[in-house]
Amino acid sequence: MLWIGIHLPELGLEIFKQRFPETPNKPAVLAFNNQISIIDQRAHEHGIQVGSSLATAHSLTANLIHFNRDEDAEKQRLKQLAGIVYRYTPMVSISPPDGLLLEVMGSLKLFGGLNKLHKRLFHLFQQLDHRTQFGFAHTPLAALVLAKSNTKTDLPDHPNKLVIQNIVERSLRNVSLVHTEIGPAIIERLANMGLFNLGVLLSLPSHEIGKRFGTDLLTYLDKLTGKTADPRQSEKPDERFQSSLHLLQPVLDKETLLFPMQRLTRELQGWLRARQLGVTRLQWEFQPLSGKSLTLPVNFAASRSNAKSILGISRLALEITALPTEVLTVVLRSTMTESLSNNPTTRYDLFRNPTSQATSTPIDLIDKIRARLGRQALQAIRAIEDHRPEHAWSPNPPADPLRTSRFPKTTFVPSLITQGRRPLWLLEPPEPVNASHFAFLVGPERIEAGWWEQDIARDYFVGRNRSGAYCWLFVEEKG
């Protein structure tokens, strides 16, 4: 097995920073029991250190932003991220408070080897505004330890079991014990004995370790090295996407609101691609501090999985919508999805992965007009199996033209339509005319139908009036 351990060293802090309408340009820290547990780069530049008190941190800079740790939010975020990376392997496990584990041996050929897969994962988390450190090993614990210590392991693109084990064992030798899951009290006892890294600890006789420190430490080391199995529970992505951002500051204008909307559409993109889906209908919800929430549905003529295009159409719909005075929570839900394999506009590579493609202008135009002017502003015409001209069509929501041309529906279309003898529109109601003003070219064509609701018996003609215009005329039989 080949495990990728993903360590998110600033996860607890990043959760709160993403709740700002815009990324704050101030030093920020995360506190737990009034002690600093995570700092960002700006806080580091001001001399703030992990482990110092919150009071000390505030004394170093007046612009400091601090947050109190939210363990439930961290676990929830890990589950969301697990659903997004599910596209790379079905074996994804979370390791609270800040770790993910992916078993990828069976995915290496599909994604072009370990290095390319690593780059894909790094770019994905960068898009989601998360800093990451990676570790690669034959056991999940070793992958996490190498990720936390940021130790580089030069594995080939397609390593075998023996190569992985030998390289990982060498990489673990110089890793400090502080990066392991060994308890602080035992680490302190080991330090008093002059033991600071895993290499020295692993070289000691196992029976002596068990006698001095108990079986828990021995079991941990056996799982770390692979002597004992370490099964992990796999996470499965949710059947429907729903994510929200509870902002720390109220949003008063639509332009600022685009920042949290952008973050949510990136999450939606990851979830869709993990499940090979496209969204055809979604729903935004904007919740104020008090009062009624605003629900904004967005529909697409063809399924979409690209965050930029989803946000672009959502933005147009937002422009014609009146928002609550202050928005504090933004929620995004996917209400209708479909498999990308059902979308004829989607192109695929050899392994049925959706590939980049040029924007489909007709689809974008349909979605933009409907988002800007409303759903009823643009309609298509659908033929109905009815001989009566005024009942032979109905307005219909516009659909993807490529989809309808590839998957046509069987509808009744009179032969005269295909011959160009039917008019493009009908006058409603029909207007009486003087027959002497027309030259009759085709006809009569008898149409009798509608006995079940509006029975008609008419003779239809194609005629040309004095100005040269062609018209469709009829004489109705009097009952």
Side-chain angles (χ1 to χ4, degrees):
M1 303 183 82
L2 177 59
W3 291 88
I4 296 181
I6 304 177
H7 176 54
L8 298 104
E10 297 180 12
L11 176 65
L13 181 58
E14 289 163 343
I15 289 172
F16 287 98
K17 292 175 74 172
Q18 290 176 357
R19 294 179 182 177
F20 277 93
E22 299 180 74
T23 303
N25 192 22
K26 296 179 180 179
V29 299
L30 186 72
F32 184 66
N33 291 334
N34 287 323
Q35 279 193 321
I36 305 301
S37 58
I38 300 176
I39 62 174
D40 66 1
Q41 182 60 34
R42 292 186 181 89
H44 176 74
E45 292 170 357
H46 283 80
I48 299 173
Q49 296 182 353
V50 174
S52 62
S53 67
L54 192 57
T56 301
H58 277 286
S59 68
L60 294 174
T61 173
N63 296 323
L64 181 68
I65 305 174
H66 83 270
F67 311 99
N68 293 316
R69 185 182 174 191
D70 187 341
E71 296 181 67
D72 291 336
E74 291 172 3
K75 189 172 183 180
Q76 180 62 31
R77 183 58 177 167
L78 283 178
K79 290 190 174 192
Q80 289 177 346
L81 294 174
I84 293 173
V85 298
Y86 185 77
R87 63 184 295 195
Y88 298 109
T89 172
M91 181 58 220
V92 183
S93 178
I94 67 171
S95 180
D98 49 20
L100 288 170
L101 284 164
L102 288 70
E103 202 290 304
V104 297
M105 182 61 85
S107 304
L108 295 184
K109 288 184 180 180
L110 180 62
F111 294 103
L114 182 59
N115 290 322
K116 288 186 178 179
L117 180 55
H118 176 205
K119 289 179 181 178
R120 282 172 174 258
L121 288 167
F122 177 81
H123 181 65
L124 172 63
F125 281 91
Q126 195 175 45
Q127 283 186 321
L128 296 171
D129 297 322
H130 286 296
R131 189 167 76 86
T132 51
Q133 296 173 190
F134 292 84
F136 312 95
H138 59 296
T139 69
L141 283 179
L144 283 175
V145 167
L146 293 174
K148 289 179 181 179
S149 61
N150 205 21
T151 302
K152 305 302 180 184
T153 50
D154 296 324
L155 288 173
D157 274 337
H158 301 279
N160 60 42
K161 178 181 178 181
L162 187 59
V163 169
I164 298 171
Q165 188 169 345
N166 289 337
I167 293 177
V168 169
E169 287 177 355
R170 289 198 303 268
S171 301
L172 287 173
R173 290 174 187 171
N174 297 320
V175 174
S176 172
L177 296 177
V178 298
H179 299 300
T180 68
E181 296 178 11
I182 301 174
I186 294 180
I187 291 179
E188 185 177 357
R189 287 176 59 192
L190 291 169
N192 292 335
M193 298 169 59
L195 304 176
F196 299 97
N197 56 51
L198 277 172
V200 179
L201 181 59
L202 292 172
S203 66
L204 296 176
S206 59
H207 68 277
E208 291 294 338
I209 296 176
K211 185 184 297 184
R212 287 175 176 267
F213 299 98
T215 58
D216 288 346
L217 176 59
L218 195 59
T219 301
Y220 174 79
L221 295 177
D222 286 345
K223 289 182 178 180
L224 180 73
T225 57
K227 293 179 182 179
T228 300
D230 185 15
R232 297 281 170 157
Q233 183 177 357
S234 176
E235 293 288 330
K236 300 297 182 185
D238 295 330
E239 290 299 318
R240 288 191 175 273
F241 176 87
Q242 177 171 325
S243 186
S244 61
L245 274 176
H246 306 285
L247 306 176
L248 298 177
Q249 296 175 350
V251 174
L252 307 177
D253 62 280
K254 296 178 181 178
E255 196 65 30
T256 307
L257 197 59
L258 292 176
F259 286 92
M261 290 176 67
Q262 182 182 52
R263 295 185 178 116
L264 291 174
T265 52
R266 285 174 181 171
E267 288 184 29
L268 175 60
Q269 172 182 283
W271 181 87
L272 289 170
R273 292 183 175 178
R275 299 182 65 85
Q276 295 292 292
L277 296 175
V279 63
T280 56
R281 186 180 301 168
L282 57 82
Q283 186 182 84
W284 293 94
E285 185 176 346
F286 305 101
Q287 301 174 357
L289 179 61
S290 60
K292 189 176 180 180
S293 300
L294 169 69
T295 300
L296 176 64
V298 180
N299 298 275
F300 304 104
S303 57
R304 295 175 181 261
S305 62
N306 180 270
K308 186 176 180 180
S309 65
I310 293 172
L311 181 63
I313 301 302
S314 299
R315 180 176 186 173
L316 291 175
L318 183 66
E319 288 180 358
I320 61 172
T321 305
L323 286 174
T325 306
E326 294 182 342
V327 176
L328 278 175
T329 302
V330 183
V331 183
L332 176 59
R333 303 182 184 92
S334 64
T335 55
M336 186 174 293
T337 58
E338 65 176 28
S339 173
L340 287 177
S341 61
N342 295 334
N343 187 350
T345 66
T346 304
R347 298 177 183 174
Y348 298 90
D349 62 17
L350 182 61
F351 301 103
R352 298 294 295 167
N353 292 317
T355 59
S356 60
Q357 57 182 357
T359 301
S360 179
T361 304
I363 301 172
D364 273 0
L365 181 60
I366 289 171
D367 286 341
K368 288 177 180 179
I369 292 175
R370 296 179 74 192
R372 173 76 74 174
L373 303 178
R375 293 188 64 186
Q376 302 303 319
L378 187 63
Q379 297 289 338
I381 295 176
R382 179 172 65 93
I384 298 176
E385 295 181 2
D386 197 315
H387 291 278
R388 296 170 296 176
E390 61 269 33
H391 297 286
W393 65 276
S394 72
N396 208 51
D400 173 6
L402 292 182
R403 180 192 304 275
T404 54
S405 64
R406 181 173 174 179
F407 303 107
K409 295 182 178 179
T410 302
T411 55
F412 170 78
V413 181
S415 60
L416 284 179
I417 293 180
T418 61
Q419 298 172 10
R421 295 177 181 174
R422 288 285 191 264
L424 295 178
W425 69 88
L426 301 176
L427 295 177
E428 181 60 37
E431 294 184 2
V433 294
N434 189 334
S436 63
H437 295 171
F438 292 85
F440 291 91
L441 305 177
V442 179
E445 175 195 355
R446 169 56 65 103
I447 295 179
E448 292 188 65
W451 56 265
W452 55 92
E453 56 178 5
Q454 181 188 357
D455 194 10
I456 65 168
R458 299 171 183 168
D459 290 327
Y460 280 86
F461 303 85
V462 176
R464 185 176 60 235
N465 65 14
R466 293 174 177 178
S467 63
Y470 288 87
C471 303
W472 209 31
L473 313 169
F474 72 87
V475 177
E476 189 163 13
E477 182 180 289
K478 300 298 182 179

